[in-house]
Every structure is written in structure tokens, then in C-alpha cells.
Amino acid sequence: MARLDRAITLFIVLMPMARSNRAMTINHRAMTIDHRAMTFNHKYGSLRAACYQQPNNLTEETHMVTLGTGDYTYEPVPNWAQLPPGWSFKEIGGVGVDKNDNVYVFNRGEHPMIVFDREGNFRRSFGEGLFPRAHGVFMAPDDTIWLTDDGDHTVRQCTREGKVLLTLGISGKPAPYMSGEPFHRCTHTAMSPQGDIYVSDGYGNSRVHKYAPNGKLLLSWGGPGSDPGEFNIAHNITCDADGWVYVADRENHRVQVFDGNGKYETQWNNLHRPCGLFMPPGKCPVCYIGELGAVQPVSRNVPNLGPRVTIVDNTGKRISRLGGLGPGLGPTEFLAPHGLAVNSRGDLYVGEVSWTNWPQTFKDKPRPDNLRSLHKFRKVG
């Protein structure tokens, strides 16, 4: 009986303490949740300020950072490209990789094409005085390079040393705006397995043009609009080993898929301003898609709209995504991914039009000197 009395007394004494402890635990959890909410809101609210404060010169510490998922996981390689003293990319329209893993950076500086080896050592440059506004690079199976210049309204086929073999379009003379005739600020070039050439003509036209290997125009398709087969800035183009043609319909937020003669097949959605496309050779390839962030003032601060790189399979199903919740200069962030390429090891190169994008994204911030416009990501997945 005495034991029972002591148990009852102990229960009466400890019960309020337990309640108090639970209350303290609940309050602590509430404070933790509150803190997380504050952190979450602070993170989004200060996104652009944090971006602006990021250093331009990344350190070796970024090698510890990874991005992506699964088989498509990468680590940044900071300061990879070793430019000659005083040289600058300004910004980069396109990137290509040849069979020896040399990297061709088509940029808007004084030396339009700058070539590096896989380790980032400078090899050569060409195109000085020839390309007023670099936009797209396509590396052909025969080791020639197709360079699209939207400022010159031309596509030039060149050797890897820069000798011009063929020119499509008339240099400096655009076709009438939205006439459907080639070219008015053409954007990119691709090649079918049979060697036919496709050119996206996206800024002053809403069109795709198909050429024979000798440069003869075979057909064109598309027009302005948002229906299947119509475009609102046909910004990039690529082909797969089966001959399907993929077009980045940027301002319609989709990638459209056509057969080799322009018949609409399907489209990939759940993208934001798809800008760059790259498919490695071979059957059933994946597709790397560079997406731009929001540009309109009403949505410019909305998170999770890019800029970013999305990797999909050949049906458009997402398998990985790279980038932060918004624009930034951090090692895993982008400003304006515009051109992409992958080497034989699966390493990813991303060229950005950062110089053009900065005043659109950070209207009230001065543009930094030597703004980063090239990423290399080493594949580790």
C-alpha cells in the first residue's frame, strides 16, 4: 500500500513536469520550423543579392561541390579555360567538342573562335573579323564545323583550322522580316544521318530550312504562332541517329519534334525558355537542354524557373537537372546557358550569354568585369 501511495505521489509530481517538457519540445519544434521558414524566405528574398555578391574567380574548393543526380552527377571545374593574357570571351554563343576532345568556344569577343584541349590549354583562334555575332556551333561527323552567326545572317562550314568551305546565306543581308525566306538572324545548325543540313531561323523568321549537303535549299517549314509546327523564336536545333529533328521553341517553352521533312510528331513540355540543345551521337541519346530564366519583370524574382540545364531521355522524360533556384555566379548556378556540348568522357561544357543577360536580370546592378560565361562540369556519376 505504501508503495502504491509513493507511485501515485510520484505520478502527480512528474505529470506536470512531463507536460512542461512536452510543451518545451513542441515550442522548440515550432521555433525550429519558424527558423526554417525564416531561412526559406530569406533564401528567396535575398537570391539576387547573394548572386551579385558571388566572386567571379572560383577556387579549387568548388571541386567538393556536385550537382545533378544519379548517372548524371557532375562537379564544377573552376577556371578551366586558360585564355592568353588580355583575352576575353565577352560571352559565348556556342560550344563544340571534336573527336579528340578539343573544345571550340564560339564567342563574342575579339577572337570569335578559341580552341582549347581537354585540360583547358589554349591551342589557337580563328574567325577574327569574320563573325560579328557568334550564335551556334555544330560539329559534323566529317570533322568540319558549322558556325551560325545571327548578326551576319549566315551559316559557314569551316575546317577545324578555320578555313571556310561553304557559306549559306548572304553576309550582312537579311531576308525580309518574317518572310520565311532564309535567313533573318538564323540561330543554329544540325545535320541528319544522311548529311542533310537543318538551320533554325529564329529571330527574324519563325522557320526551319532544310538543305542538301551541297548547300541547295530543299524545303522550309514553320511560321509564327503557338500551334504545333509554329514557332516563337526557333532558337536551337539538333538531330538524332534516327533522323528526328528537335527544335527549341524558346518562347513557347517547349521542344518540338519533327520528321526529316518537317512533319510534326510531338513536343516536350515542362521547360522554361529552352535555349540550347545537345544530343550526343548514337541510338537513343539523351538530350541536354539549356533553359533561360524569367525575363519579364512580373516573374523575374520567381524561383525555380531557371536558368538551368535539364537532361532528358529521347522521349523527353527528365533524368537530371543542374542549377540553382535562380540566377547566380556560384559554382552550381547559371546566368544564361546558351550553348552546350559533351566530350567523350561525359564532361559537360556550358557557354552562357552572361554579358547580354546581366542588365536584363540585374537591372540596377553594374555589370561585373570579366563576367563568367563558360562552365566545365566533370562527370562523376
Side-chain angles (χ1 to χ4, degrees), residues 83 86-93 105-114 125-134 355 373:
L83 283 168
W87 286 33
S88 169
F89 295 128
K90 185 178 178 181
E91 62 182 2
I92 295 170
V105 182
F106 198 32
N107 67 92
R108 296 174 184 172
E110 295 179 358
H111 307 276
M113 179 59 79
I114 305 179
S125 71
F126 63 83
E128 287 83 355
L130 185 61
F131 299 101
R133 196 170 188 272
W355 193 88
S373 58

Side-chain angles (χ1 to χ4, degrees), residues 24 29 42 53 85-86 125 128 161 168 180 193 203 218-219 239-240 252 256 259 266 288-289 297 311 355-356:
M24 289 174 65
R29 288 176 180 172
H42 174 73
Q53 293 167 2
S125 71
E128 287 83 355
E161 290 69 39
L168 303 178
Y203 282 123
L218 298 177
L219 59 90
C239 293
D240 66 15
N252 281 329
Q256 296 196 62
D259 71 10
T266 188
Y288 300 78
I289 306 173
I311 306 171
W355 193 88
T356 296

Side-chain angles (χ1 to χ4, degrees), residues 274-296:
C275 186
L277 298 177
F278 177 80
M279 278 188 168
K283 291 284 186 177
C284 300
V286 298
C287 186
Y288 300 78
I289 306 173
E291 299 176 68
L292 297 181
V295 70
Q296 295 296 328

Side-chain angles (χ1 to χ4, degrees), residues 112-128:
M113 179 59 79
I114 305 179
V115 185
F116 303 89
D117 65 16
R118 185 168 54 209
E119 285 69 44
N121 300 306
F122 171 80
R123 287 302 181 219
R124 61 185 176 276
S125 71
F126 63 83
E128 287 83 355

